[in-house]
Amino acid sequence: MPTPDSIVILTGAGISDESGIATFRGPGGLWEGHRVEDVCTPKALVRDPALVHRFYDERRGALAGVAPNAAHRAIARLQREWPGEVLLVTQNVDDLHERAGSHDVVHMHGALLSALCAHCGVRTPWDGELPPAACCGDCDVPALRPDIVFFGEMPYEMERIEAALARADLFVSIGTSGAVYPAAGFVRLARHHGAATLELNLEPSAGSAWFDDTRLGPAGVLVPSWVEALLAG
Ligand code: APR
């Protein structure tokens, strides 16, 4: 694999697994305990806002008890030391990349520590009790929602992500099942534009056939060794 200049990294729930955060589709995953349509759709928020808020309050509260792992730290090191461009896109809504030292993280599915005003789209940090809306002022709880991209809604920063994939020399997917679009299609977009593609995952994903190279194992082992080798040239 030639030395890349511009790298796009996509992470999924698997990178946070070794930090103790449940994935969605693995054994004991979040979607085993909850129906998506009950907690992660716009209709769910209208039908039962208290249930939706409880689901995300539980996940937000759990963040205090977890810490970034070696995979998060290795990506932050790559962002610091790589001479070219590194765009980190995550499907995760936790803050472990930031706590590991990563910057400019693109949370395409939103973030637990942010509240969104459904009236005017203003975001407010949410790291404890439901924050007072720092926006239009006439928001009530149903309008002030978790800043999470629900199923059926458009992920954030798609134009920026697609532009980065168009100029990437290397696309790396870490800890994702490839079950949800548009993220699951990024590998094909990257290949179409000539990027080399690498998958680091515990098990084969739905998109493994599209990757030039798929390495199977825990992210906490695979990611640091991949970064070490890349930086060693
Ligand atoms: N190291 C590497 N990979 C792991 C590890 C680990 N320690 N543990 C699990 N994995 C892999 C699993 O094999 C699986 O392929 O991570 C992937 C997790 O898949 P999902 O649970 O489907 O999570 P993700 O791919 O991030 O889901 C995408 O679906 O429900 C929506 O919005 C939600 O962002 C989420 C999206």
Side-chain angles (χ1 to χ4, degrees):
M1 189 175 288
T3 304
D5 176 47
S6 171
I7 304 172
V8 174
I9 299 173
L10 170 71
T11 63
I15 199 171
S16 298
D17 164 67
E18 290 157 83
S19 293
I21 294 184
T23 62
F24 291 92
R25 295 170 182 83
L30 282 168
W31 295 146
E32 277 186 3
H34 299 275
R35 294 185 335 140
V36 166
E37 50 272 28
D38 291 341
V39 293
C40 193
T41 63
K43 280 187 182 159
L45 187 63
V46 174
R47 184 174 58 243
D48 191 345
L51 174 61
V52 174
H53 279 284
R54 254 197 327 275
F55 177 66
Y56 288 102
D57 288 350
E58 281 168 21
R59 296 177 64 196
R60 188 175 308 105
L63 285 181
V66 298
N69 63 58
H72 296 103
R73 289 192 295 274
I75 290 173
R77 177 188 172 203
L78 184 66
Q79 283 187 300
R80 284 194 304 276
E81 299 180 16
W82 188 250
E85 176 190 7
V86 179
L87 181 69
L88 174 55
V89 181
T90 187
Q91 298 172 94
N92 300 340
V93 294
D94 63 56
D95 64 336
L96 295 185
H97 281 303
E98 288 85 352
R99 284 162 56 191
S102 279
H103 52 80
D104 190 22
V105 182
V106 177
H107 282 274
M108 64 180 289
H109 288 169
L112 281 171
L113 296 181
S114 170
L116 176 70
C117 173
H119 280 307
C120 58
V122 167
R123 289 181 170 81
T124 309
W126 190 350
D127 51 8
E129 291 303 312
L130 181 63
C135 53
C136 53
D138 62 0
C139 302
D140 51 22
V141 173
L144 200 58
R145 57 172 275 186
D147 186 11
I148 300 291
V149 177
F150 291 148
F151 281 94
E153 295 182 325
M154 178 54 78
Y156 296 147
E157 302 199 60
M158 282 304 296
E159 282 185 20
R160 180 181 179 194
I161 296 168
E162 287 163 352
L165 289 169
R167 60 175 182 270
D169 305 300
L170 175 62
F171 171 70
V172 187
S173 175
I174 302 169
T176 182
S177 61
V180 173
Y181 285 81
F186 290 173
V187 59
R188 272 170 268 179
L189 192 55
R191 286 179 68 91
H192 173 72
H193 289 291
T197 53
L198 169 65
E199 180 180 43
L200 307 176
N201 210 56
L202 196 61
E203 59 199 356
S205 71
S208 289
W210 293 98
F211 286 89
D212 300 317
D213 182 7
T214 289
R215 300 174 196 169
L216 301 182
V221 172
L222 293 182
V223 180
S225 61
W226 165 64
V227 167
E228 187 65 45
L230 195 63
L231 291 174

